[in-house]
Amino acid sequence: QVSTCPGYSSDQGNVWYRHRSRRQATMSVGNAALPTADRRGKWLDRYIGWHVDRPFAVCGGCCCFLFVLMLASVGLGCMDIAQRDGAWNILDAEATQTHMALKLARDASTTSDPSILKDIVAGRRLSSPSFRHEFSSMPRQLSRANEARHGRRLADDETKETLFVFYKSDKAASGTVFTPQRLREMCLLERNWVNVMRSDILAWEFVDSAVALFYGSGAEPKFRKMNLTENWACEELTQASVDETVAVILGDVKKEGAKSTYGRFIHPQFADTGMSSVTRTYIQVKVKEADAVKIPETVLEYLGKQNGFFQDGLFHSSAYMGEEDRFVQMGEVRVRVLSSATDEFATMVQPDFLLALLSVIVVFVVLWVYLNSYFLACMGMYQIIASMPVAALLYKMFGIDYFEFLHILVVYLVLGIGADDIFVLLDTFRHVGEELAPVETEGRYSRDVLHEIVKKTWIRTAGAIFNTSFTTAMAFMSCSGSKAMPMRTCGWYAAIAILLNYVFTITFSPAFMVIWHQHIQGKRCCCPSLRLREEAEPAKGGATVKEKKLNIVETFLDKVYIPAMQWKAGPTRPVPLAVALIMLAVAIQGVYFCSQLTPPRTEEVWFPQNHMLMEISDFMGSSFNTPAHDGYTVIEVFWGIEGLDGSDINIYYPEEESGKVKFDSTFDLSTPEAQEFVLDTCERLKELPCDLAGCDNAGTGKLMLQADSAGDSCFLRDFKAWSNGTLPTGADFLPKLIAFRDNAEETAYTGELLDGEVDYKKDIGIVNGQLRFAVIKIRSTMSEVTPFARGQEVSDLIAAFVAERGASAPAALKSIKFGGQIFAGFDLSQELLSGLFQGCAIAVPIAFIVLLASTRNIVLSIYAVLSVGAIVLCVLGFCKSAMDWDLGIGEAIAGVIVIGYSVDYVVHLAHIYCEARHLGLEKREERAEFAVRNMGSTVFAGAITTAGSGAVMFFCFFYFFIKMAILICVTIMFSFLFSLGFFMSVVWLIGPEGTFGDIPVPAFLGGRLSQTSKIQVQEAKKVEAPAMPMPPSEVKEVEV
């Protein structure tokens, strides 16, 4: 074995082989002679010489240079998080383009300034934000209403906000919430809120309180109101008084059914039982933006809830955390709160990012323990951390001006990958030292010996780490094909950071490795000493080499793993055969469950299960006889817009450069035929049936929400009523339509279901005095948080309706389209799902190409790429088999990010297996053992570091980060099992021997090197290691 050969020093045991045209140097190491790869050029000798001769200067210079780059990155704001409107738009998707075009058209319709109008039509200016995808499950009614309906505009520092307070009888939702004690508790809560907020409220826009039904003044409960300017008494009511009010409500519900005014306050079973376990209060107010946050905080503080660390079993908890039913107890009643003034995502994401610091600590501890050196751990962590701001600086220099919360996830990824690079370097240094210069006593190597060891380490490490770094970086670069700009840029940033870690490992790390070896190794001090360690005494011929101290992982590999894999029972090796078959079965089940993955069937999960916002739309839809309409999608059908010209869109600032709207030049509503067609479309849309799972229509079978007020808006029907029942035609049409648009009050023609949604100035598009587009709309039965799979079915239903109407439309109305903010969101969901499979399809072939280039062995490359493919499939299968996840947005994003993790360990082992042949090991058993001894503990340490870094996200608040933690840990687990289990078992059984499977490589690509090395090693085996230095006459010359 190479590791048992006599020692080597600069003045003994040299055997030189010379080629006539180029020199190849080989060091005598007893029974084997190892090439030092002089063909890489004299520059490598000089480069290694700098690290060996002046390690403090090189290390200090690198530290200072990286520090300057980090300061530049921070100073230029390269890592400043930006959340920009429209960043997640899929710009070439039809629904998104339609939505953006309608936005631009509406902006053009609501301005009269010619210069501004020119910019809007050209796409250079938007008066309202374009579609913004939030990673949140909050329904649309939670987003801020930046503008009220026509006639009630808001000042720049004002906003309209809503507050929902839901009440429930008990955890089991049994009995009735309408009892004297519970009603008093509800009254006290709302009284406290009104008293605290009264001075901050600019206007009471809408108050719809369950408390007012019982405590308010008025003849009938539905007309009762609370005096908002006085302090309420909130005395406990008599049971008779409560029963009387409940009887009135019950009678109205039985008479009116779903259209009852009281439907929004009672449970659907109230008509049958006379009891409602739930009720609610809805309030809309106008306040200053600075005071908006007080709206929910006042209620939550009354309930004793607030944000804080180490609450509810979480690292950082939200005030919106409830119990299992997502309610909190308040006296005799349970309460749940919802408000549009809450930006829960922005509030809670910052503490989650702080956990990245904990990941740094975890990785540092693993580095310290494994490397057994505080100095190496500090320098390695400095190098890893520096790679992130420096990567952001390069990222921005390439013209990529976007950095958001998704990019912060790269911290967790790079920590593990960077630590793995350092492990490879230091382990290779130790193994090469044992191979080339075994010693009898501990100490530093002589200068020449250290130079050769560092050089050999650099060559082997540079190749090994390049393979994994390039493969992983390319896996992240597969995001380049994503149409979602944040995903695309995140992939670029991750790839740059990973490649920088590779560069730092082969430039910066050798210097501090030399400092450690010469001054610190074997010491417990934290700082390097200026004094050199004593020089080690090399092992003499026949002397006993000091036995290497193995760590616990190496002991397991040496005493258990390798003997088990080597053990033969007759002609076979039963252990690797059994392990290979078991892992093959695991891969097959992974394939099966991966095939069972489907698009999301339920609402996306972003918060903990007991968060008050979780499944809020489903709760509102199923708990009340007439659901709160704000949680349902407004679907718009319009004419006059052909599409969007997106050629000039600035992808990094989409809210500033949003494309150009293309109007239909043939659009005309002045003819009776066109008017009749639009009116007929309004009626057909109202009656459009929908029996799909995405329509929450409670048995009505309609796409439009059915209630006691109209759920549709048809401007032409309203115009006809405003014109005393007749529609003008020809030249009279446009002037009268403009007069209607400017003077009519929307509330006179639309009901509560579309309150705030109808604005004639935006729905009747007058641009430069011409009618350019027109919009009709309905409040649908499709929830704002409908899952992608169900929502896409509804979208297809509406698309079929629009296509049918377009086919029968007159020539002037052929440009009929439909839109809605939710449909643009479906484009994003579809793209993220496609990106996941695209990433898999790119990562595996790239891994195969890199393996083929590095090993130059087709057989070994096939084994390795099969292992990588099995890892990816098993991880995706785990999502279904163990977690029962669908392929939602969170899974798609997390899946793309962790694809890069699946290749590292297999590539490491494949590379070192190939390297073994160049060191004279021809048999598969020898090469497999060499690979495990040299890389087994490194793989284990890398797995622990990466999994530990990712596991920190288990403490995060957002479930998305918890999914990331699960997927990272599972990926590492399968990568570890398939690398040391399946891959090594296969090569132990049927791995390539000798030159079997090798690909012929032309001389100009390095083929001569491979052949030269082989001849050198074979010739060196014939030379016995001399006990004394060889005289010059003994030097041999070999022809190649």
Side-chain angles (χ1 to χ4, degrees):
Q1 293 295 328
V2 173
S3 59
T4 61
C5 62
Y8 167 85
S9 68
S10 60
D11 57 356
Q12 80 172 57
N14 290 311
V15 180
W16 293 94
Y17 296 85
R18 291 181 174 87
H19 186 266
R20 292 187 185 276
S21 61
R22 63 190 299 179
R23 189 178 60 172
Q24 289 282 353
T26 302
M27 296 165 45
S28 172
V29 289
N31 294 328
L34 301 179
T36 59
D38 275 349
R39 72 187 301 274
R40 292 182 180 271
K42 293 182 179 179
W43 68 267
L44 183 56
D45 281 313
R46 289 196 296 267
Y47 177 75
I48 299 300
W50 296 337
H51 289 276
V52 173
D53 297 331
R54 293 179 289 276
F56 282 99
V58 174
C59 184
C62 288
C63 285
C64 294
F65 180 63
L66 292 181
F67 185 73
V68 170
L69 291 180
M70 286 191 287
L71 287 180
S73 179
V74 174
L76 293 173
C78 297
M79 298 186 73
D80 291 349
I81 296 178
Q83 290 283 352
R84 296 173 188 157
D85 292 325
W88 286 89
N89 285 349
I90 309 302
L91 298 175
D92 60 351
E94 182 178 1
T96 300
Q97 287 198 350
T98 299
H99 182 76
M100 293 175 66
L102 183 58
K103 275 278 190 183
L104 284 168
R106 279 176 162 158
D107 284 331
S109 177
T110 53
T111 183
S112 57
D113 188 325
S115 61
I116 295 178
L117 179 61
K118 181 179 179 181
D119 282 347
I120 291 175
V121 176
R124 290 189 291 273
R125 192 169 188 158
L126 281 176
S127 61
S128 59
S130 58
F131 168 68
R132 175 181 177 180
H133 178 80
E134 292 287 1
F135 290 94
S136 167
S137 63
M138 293 183 290
R140 188 181 177 192
Q141 72 267 21
L142 300 184
S143 62
R144 293 193 175 187
N146 293 318
E147 186 176 273
R149 65 178 180 267
H150 173 58
R152 293 190 289 180
R153 305 294 180 186
L154 300 178
D156 290 340
D157 61 343
E158 296 176 356
T159 180
K160 274 189 177 183
E161 304 295 351
T162 60
L163 174 70
F164 279 94
V165 182
F166 302 100
Y167 304 99
K168 192 169 71 165
S169 57
D170 53 33
K171 281 188 177 182
S174 60
T176 179
V177 73
F178 300 133
T179 67
Q181 299 84 0
R182 288 168 177 159
L183 287 169
R184 183 173 183 273
E185 296 283 356
M186 293 156 53
C187 181
L188 290 173
L189 183 150
E190 294 185 22
R191 182 184 71 179
N192 176 76
W193 185 85
V194 171
N195 290 342
V196 172
M197 292 298 302
R198 185 181 289 121
S199 60
D200 297 316
I201 293 174
L202 303 177
W204 297 88
E205 297 291 334
F206 191 79
V207 179
D208 197 24
S209 171
V211 171
L213 298 177
F214 295 87
Y215 282 92
S217 58
E220 293 185 44
K222 62 183 175 182
F223 298 125
R224 292 173 183 169
K225 298 183 180 300
M226 301 295 289
N227 190 331
L228 300 173
T229 61
E230 298 180 359
N231 192 35
W232 307 346
C234 289
E235 297 177 352
E236 187 168 314
L237 302 172
T238 63
Q239 187 64 51
S241 173
V242 173
D243 291 343
E244 180 182 353
T245 301
V246 170
V248 173
I249 296 173
L250 180 62
D252 190 82
V253 169
K254 288 185 175 181
K255 178 181 178 182
E256 300 294 335
K259 295 185 177 182
S260 171
T261 303
Y262 303 105
R264 57 185 177 269
F265 297 107
I266 57 170
H267 193 275
Q269 295 180 351
F270 179 79
D272 299 326
T273 64
M275 294 189 297
S276 178
S277 60
V278 295
T279 190
R280 59 93 166 159
T281 288
Y282 169 72
I283 301 173
Q284 186 182 59
V285 295
K286 181 167 70 174
V287 294
K288 296 287 186 181
E289 285 190 347
D291 298 326
V293 70
K294 297 179 184 178
I295 295 173
E297 282 183 353
T298 302
V299 178
L300 292 169
E301 287 176 2
Y302 186 84
L303 298 173
K305 303 293 293 181
Q306 60 183 354
N307 298 337
F309 289 92
F310 305 108
Q311 297 178 170
D312 304 307
L314 299 171
F315 170 74
H316 186 263
S317 181
S318 166
Y320 282 90
M321 294 299 291
E323 299 176 19
E324 304 87 57
D325 60 349
R326 305 181 182 111
F327 282 75
V328 295
Q329 193 70 35
M330 183 190 69
E332 296 291 325
V333 70
R334 297 182 67 77
V335 182
R336 185 174 181 177
V337 182
L338 180 69
S339 175
S340 64
T342 299
D343 190 350
E344 187 73 345
F345 180 84
T347 302
M348 299 305 298
V349 77
Q350 295 300 329
D352 280 357
F353 286 158
L354 291 177
L355 285 171
L357 298 177
L358 182 57
S359 284
V360 171
I361 295 173
V362 169
V363 174
F364 174 79
V365 170
V366 175
L367 282 168
W368 190 2
V369 171
Y370 182 79
L371 300 176
N372 197 28
S373 170
Y374 181 84
F375 173 75
L376 288 177
C378 288
M379 299 306 294
M381 188 54 62
Y382 178 79
Q383 168 184 306
I384 296 169
I385 293 174
S387 68
M388 287 174 272
V390 175
L393 181 62
L394 293 176
Y395 171 84
K396 194 160 188 175
M397 289 173 63
F398 291 149
I400 308 169
D401 192 12
Y402 186 77
F403 197 95
E404 69 152 38
F405 91 95
L406 191 62
H407 295 60
I408 301 296
L409 292 176
V410 175
V411 172
Y412 298 98
L413 310 179
V414 171
L415 282 172
I417 294 172
D420 182 62
D421 291 350
I422 294 172
F423 291 146
V424 173
L425 176 70
L426 272 299
D427 282 347
T428 302
F429 176 78
R430 181 162 54 86
H431 291 303
V432 170
E434 292 165 0
E435 292 170 8
L436 301 186
V439 297
E440 293 182 6
T441 61
E442 292 291 344
R444 62 180 175 84
Y445 297 119
S446 65
R447 188 271 173 199
D448 291 342
V449 174
L450 181 60
H451 182 279
E452 293 299 331
I453 291 174
V454 173
K455 184 176 179 180
K456 183 69 175 179
T457 299
W458 191 94
I459 293 172
R460 187 182 295 181
T461 301
I465 298 179
F466 175 79
N467 294 334
T468 55
S469 297
F470 181 78
T471 308
T472 307
M474 290 303 102
F476 285 111
M477 285 296 289
S478 67
C479 294
S480 297
S482 175
K483 298 175 183 177
M485 185 270 290
M487 284 296 298
R488 188 165 63 247
T489 55
C490 180
W492 293 340
Y493 175 65
I496 294 172
I498 290 167
L499 293 176
L500 274 180
N501 268 280
Y502 168 73
V503 173
F504 293 166
T505 301
I506 63 175
T507 55
F508 175 40
S509 300
F512 69 71
M513 180 182 70
V514 170
I515 294 174
W516 166 76
H517 170 73
Q518 291 184 329
H519 298 270
I520 303 174
Q521 188 175 4
K523 298 181 181 180
R524 291 292 181 181
C525 63
C526 297
C527 301
S529 170
L530 294 178
R531 293 183 57 188
L532 292 170
R533 295 166 62 213
E534 293 295 329
E535 189 169 332
E537 182 180 348
K540 304 294 192 300
T544 301
V545 179
K546 183 179 174 72
E547 185 176 352
K548 168 191 168 186
K549 185 178 178 181
L550 303 178
N551 60 40
I552 187 172
V553 177
E554 292 172 328
T555 301
F556 172 80
L557 294 174
D558 185 65
K559 304 297 184 183
V560 179
Y561 180 84
I562 292 176
M565 299 294 273
Q566 293 280 34
W567 176 57
K568 271 191 172 184
T572 63
R573 300 182 187 274
V575 173
L577 180 61
V579 172
L581 291 176
I582 291 172
M583 297 309 300
L584 182 62
V586 172
I588 292 172
Q589 68 83 32
V591 172
Y592 171 75
F593 283 108
C594 183
S595 67
Q596 303 301 307
L597 285 169
T598 60
R601 300 161 295 174
T602 57
E603 182 181 328
E604 289 285 346
V605 177
W606 299 104
F607 302 108
Q609 284 298 322
N610 55 336
H611 196 280
M612 292 184 186
L613 301 184
M614 277 295 297
E615 299 180 2
I616 187 64
S617 183
D618 288 345
F619 167 76
M620 295 168 68
S622 62
S623 299
F624 297 97
N625 199 46
T626 303
H629 60 267
D630 284 353
Y632 290 89
T633 302
V634 172
I635 297 175
E636 300 174 318
V637 175
F638 53 93
W639 295 265
I641 299 176
E642 288 187 346
L644 180 76
D645 178 4
S647 58
D648 295 332
I649 293 179
N650 184 335
I651 60 173
Y652 302 123
Y653 293 90
E655 74 277 15
E656 296 180 6
E657 298 284 347
S658 303
K660 302 174 184 178
V661 60
K662 296 187 292 186
F663 291 111
D664 178 11
S665 59
T666 64
F667 174 62
D668 182 16
L669 282 179
S670 63
T671 64
E673 180 187 18
Q675 295 170 0
E676 185 60 33
F677 182 82
V678 170
L679 292 172
D680 182 54
T681 301
C682 291
E683 296 304 314
R684 288 174 180 263
L685 185 61
K686 283 174 56 178
E687 301 300 322
L688 184 64
C690 180
D691 56 0
L692 302 170
C695 290
D696 183 16
N697 48 29
T700 64
K702 305 293 185 183
L703 176 64
M704 191 179 81
L705 187 66
Q706 306 294 309
D708 58 343
S709 64
D712 71 318
S713 171
C714 182
F715 76 95
L716 204 57
R717 184 182 61 211
D718 301 342
F719 180 35
K720 183 177 181 180
W722 185 79
S723 302
N724 298 320
T726 59
L727 285 172
T729 59
D732 294 336
F733 176 76
L734 184 58
K736 291 187 177 180
L737 180 65
I738 294 175
F740 166 77
R741 173 182 181 267
D742 293 339
N743 300 305
E745 179 63 38
E746 293 88 346
T747 54
Y749 302 98
T750 57
E752 181 186 340
L753 290 183
L754 289 174
D755 181 44
E757 295 290 345
V758 179
D759 184 347
Y760 291 142
K761 288 186 178 293
K762 291 185 175 182
D763 296 339
I764 303 172
I766 304 297
V767 180
N768 291 327
Q770 299 296 317
L771 177 63
R772 305 307 303 268
F773 68 93
V775 182
I776 62 174
K777 61 185 66 176
I778 63 168
R779 176 77 71 177
S780 73
T781 53
M782 182 173 68
S783 169
E784 286 281 1
V785 288
T786 299
F788 167 67
R790 294 179 180 178
Q792 192 60 50
E793 292 177 347
V794 179
S795 178
D796 293 341
L797 172 72
I798 304 170
F801 169 78
V802 169
E804 182 272 327
R805 296 303 293 165
S808 59
L813 299 178
K814 289 292 185 181
S815 58
I816 183 172
K817 288 180 173 58
F818 77 98
Q821 185 166 312
I822 192 171
F823 301 118
F826 293 157
D827 286 341
L828 176 61
S829 298
Q830 180 64 59
E831 174 56 33
L832 291 176
L833 292 177
S834 301
L836 173 60
F837 295 106
Q838 175 181 297
C840 294
I842 292 175
V844 174
I846 286 179
F848 178 74
I849 293 172
V850 172
L851 282 164
L852 201 58
S854 62
T855 65
R856 299 175 184 177
N857 188 290
I858 185 67
V859 175
L860 199 63
S861 300
I862 290 174
Y863 293 164
V865 81
L866 288 176
S867 300
V868 172
I871 293 167
V872 173
L873 292 172
C874 284
V875 171
L876 294 177
F878 177 88
C879 295
K880 184 65 180 178
S881 62
M883 306 305 298
D884 195 27
W885 290 343
D886 297 322
L887 277 178
I889 294 176
E891 290 80 5
I893 294 174
V896 169
I897 288 176
V898 300
I899 285 173
Y901 277 141
S902 63
V903 301
D904 275 11
Y905 307 139
V906 173
V907 173
H908 274 320
L909 291 168
H911 176 83
I912 204 69
Y913 182 92
C914 179
E915 180 79 10
R917 186 171 69 83
H918 299 299
L919 302 180
L921 304 177
E922 298 289 340
K923 296 293 184 181
R924 64 173 64 97
E925 298 87 352
E926 297 174 338
R927 295 165 69 175
E929 180 179 349
F930 180 82
V932 172
R933 289 190 185 279
N934 282 268
M935 199 58 68
S937 61
T938 306
V939 167
F940 179 83
I944 293 296
T945 306
T946 307
S949 171
V952 170
M953 286 189 283
F954 281 117
F955 298 102
C956 287
F957 176 79
F958 284 101
Y959 193 61
F960 169 74
F961 296 120
I962 296 175
K963 283 182 179 179
M964 275 292 301
I966 293 172
L967 284 173
I968 287 175
C969 292
V970 169
T971 304
I972 296 304
M973 178 189 71
F974 280 118
S975 295
F976 183 79
L977 293 176
F978 273 92
S979 59
L980 285 173
F982 179 76
F983 177 74
M984 291 310 303
S985 294
V986 170
V987 297
W988 231 299
L989 292 170
I990 52 175
E993 292 185 331
T995 60
F996 180 77
D998 282 3
I999 300 175
V1001 181
F1004 68 90
L1005 291 179
R1008 182 186 297 271
L1009 173 62
S1010 176
Q1011 188 68 13
T1012 300
S1013 299
K1014 177 182 175 183
I1015 294 175
Q1016 288 176 339
V1017 171
Q1018 291 173 345
E1019 192 68 26
K1021 286 183 178 180
K1022 302 175 184 178
V1023 181
E1024 293 293 335
M1028 299 294 292
M1030 295 180 63
S1033 59
E1034 295 291 328
V1035 175
K1036 302 182 64 176
E1037 201 171 86
V1038 178
E1039 290 253 357
V1040 179

